[in-house]
Amino acid sequence: MPRHHAPRPALAAVAVAAAALLLAGCNDAGGLESAGATPTAVGPVELWPELPEISAPPVDYGESDTERVRGVEVPGGDVRTVDPVAVVQAEVAAHPGQVTGPDGLFEQTARQIRECRTKPAKCPVLKPYYRDLTGDGKDELIVGVTMPEQQTAIRVYMPEKGGLTRIMSNAEAIVSVELAGRDLILRAVSAGIPGYEYRTAWSWDEQQRAMLPARDEIVRIKPSRPTPESSADAR
């Protein structure tokens, strides 16, 4: 029978040292290291839980902003076949002298709208835009109307049951209007807060059957840099 010899002490020591070096090398090459203590998650804390419950329900935006446009037909539900000037004129005729609320217009603006056919150069109705804002597969009609005091009225009309239903009406000092997906985003001057503007995203609300201000924020606007000409004039 062959004999099993015990390893010599010197060779055993060398083997142990080599194994230690290999392990050390593995730890240095991509080993996991601690990132330190993880901060404890802090949840929301309710302040003044003893406040009484509100008995009256919150008012829904848009519940009075929708209205059927009288006397306007939309063949096949295609709003592109409708004259936007005729739509606004129909609303002016239905609400004569209305200066407040969703139908409110300056008297000067209402007069110019009535005279759009005879004085087209002064017609305040802007170029129309079209976009499916309700998600029903049909485009809505988006109309802008310029008014005095740098105000602009924005109105949206939905084809429905062979006619038009106004699903949004807003008027303020508009900086710009943007379409983002099915949202209509209005940028407006922030009255009384210099250096800021309002940005409101209007979205379709199926329950109210209207476009409602779903997101509203106040954004700081960086002042524009003076041009070389304006800098020279200021000297």
Side-chain angles (χ1 to χ4, degrees):
M1 290 179 61
R3 298 180 179 178
H4 296 280
H5 299 279
R8 297 180 182 180
L11 293 177
V14 171
V16 172
L21 288 175
L22 288 174
L23 290 175
C26 291
N27 289 336
D28 291 340
L32 296 176
E33 296 182 2
S34 173
T38 303
T40 304
V42 179
V45 178
E46 182 181 4
L47 305 185
W48 304 295
E50 69 277 9
L51 288 175
E53 294 184 2
I54 301 298
S55 57
V59 177
D60 270 322
Y61 284 105
E63 60 185 1
S64 61
D65 290 348
T66 62
E67 182 177 311
R68 187 78 168 180
V69 181
R70 305 175 192 174
V72 176
E73 297 182 357
V74 186
D78 184 3
V79 293
R80 296 175 185 269
T81 64
V82 178
D83 182 1
V85 172
V87 173
V88 181
Q89 286 178 334
E91 290 195 311
V92 170
H95 301 276
Q98 187 77 34
V99 294
T100 60
D103 293 289
L105 293 171
F106 287 90
E107 174 53 36
Q108 174 186 342
T109 305
R111 182 179 68 254
Q112 290 175 329
I113 290 173
R114 289 191 293 265
E115 298 173 347
C116 276
R117 303 304 181 198
T118 58
K119 300 178 181 179
K122 294 184 178 181
C123 183
V125 181
L126 300 174
K127 167 188 172 181
Y129 285 90
Y130 308 91
R131 177 68 67 90
D132 180 10
L133 299 175
T134 63
D136 63 356
K138 295 182 179 181
D139 284 341
E140 272 64 54
L141 169 64
I142 306 169
V143 175
V145 180
T146 58
M147 299 189 295
E149 300 180 11
Q150 298 182 325
Q151 299 282 307
T152 304
I154 306 296
R155 298 183 177 186
V156 178
Y157 304 89
M158 176 181 69
E160 186 178 45
K161 299 178 181 179
L164 279 182
T165 300
R166 189 186 64 211
I167 59 175
M168 172 187 168
S169 180
N170 179 266
E172 52 190 325
I174 299 293
V175 176
S176 70
V177 181
E178 302 172 355
L179 282 169
R182 287 166 50 191
D183 287 347
L184 192 64
I185 301 175
L186 307 186
R187 294 175 51 199
V189 172
S190 175
I193 313 179
Y196 291 82
E197 71 177 23
Y198 293 114
R199 291 184 186 176
T200 306
W202 291 73
S203 303
W204 171 250
D205 185 281
E206 184 65 31
Q207 181 178 353
Q208 287 292 333
R209 304 286 296 172
M211 296 285 291
L212 304 184
R215 295 182 301 278
D216 201 354
E217 59 181 347
I218 301 177
V219 182
R220 178 164 178 79
I221 303 302
K222 294 181 179 180
S224 58
R225 295 181 178 180
T227 61
E229 291 80 5
S230 62
S231 299
D233 295 340
R235 294 176 184 175

